[in-house]
Amino acid sequence: MTVFWILAAGLIALALGLLLPVLVRPRPNRPSANDASQANLAILRSQLVQLDAEHASGALDAAQHRSARADIERRVLDEEAVAEAPRVAGAARKTALWTGLSVPVFALVVYGFLGNFDALSPRPLAAGP
């Protein structure tokens, strides 16, 4: 019976050894929504400068200039309204801790309902006729 419990503990340790490092590993740095928003705002600023230059050169009349400028200004307001969702720093560690505790408990509970404890006790084989 002791061999079974040692093997069961080893399998649980193996499962946790595969799960927990993935949850605890630091995530690679990805560009945040704020960085992308700043890049988009820089593009929109350059479009405004280009639009003003086209109006000054006479390529656009006043009505076209106002319409295009209003469109770009609306896009700037849309970009500024985008807010980045706050990141929860400790969520992965809490998940790892919860998983590390719940997997063994769940395994023991399932074995308590479905397992056969009598099968763990060695019995002498009955002699045949």
Side-chain angles (χ1 to χ4, degrees):
M1 182 157 106
T2 305
V3 173
F4 169 78
W5 289 113
I6 290 171
L7 290 174
L11 289 174
I12 289 173
L14 177 67
L16 291 175
L18 294 173
L19 286 175
L20 296 181
V22 174
L23 293 173
V24 178
R25 181 182 316 140
R27 308 248 189 254
N29 289 335
R30 294 184 191 141
S32 67
N34 194 23
D35 295 339
S37 180
Q38 291 300 322
N40 289 342
L41 286 173
I43 291 170
L44 291 172
R45 280 189 210 103
S46 68
Q47 287 178 354
L48 276 175
V49 169
Q50 183 181 7
L51 184 69
D52 290 340
E54 288 178 2
H55 177 64
S57 70
L60 294 175
D61 63 9
Q64 290 173 326
H65 180 259
R66 272 194 308 272
S67 173
R69 187 170 181 87
D71 182 49
I72 292 174
E73 289 171 350
R74 181 188 48 80
R75 289 172 32 206
V76 167
L77 290 175
D78 290 344
E79 257 331 295
E80 288 178 347
V82 174
E84 183 177 356
R87 300 186 100 198
V88 181
R93 295 203 189 278
K94 289 179 185 176
T95 303
L97 178 65
W98 185 85
T99 302
L101 294 174
S102 65
V103 166
V105 170
F106 180 72
L108 291 173
V109 168
V110 169
Y111 186 79
F113 284 112
L114 302 176
N116 183 1
F117 287 101
D118 293 334
L120 297 176
S121 301
R123 291 195 184 110
L125 295 174

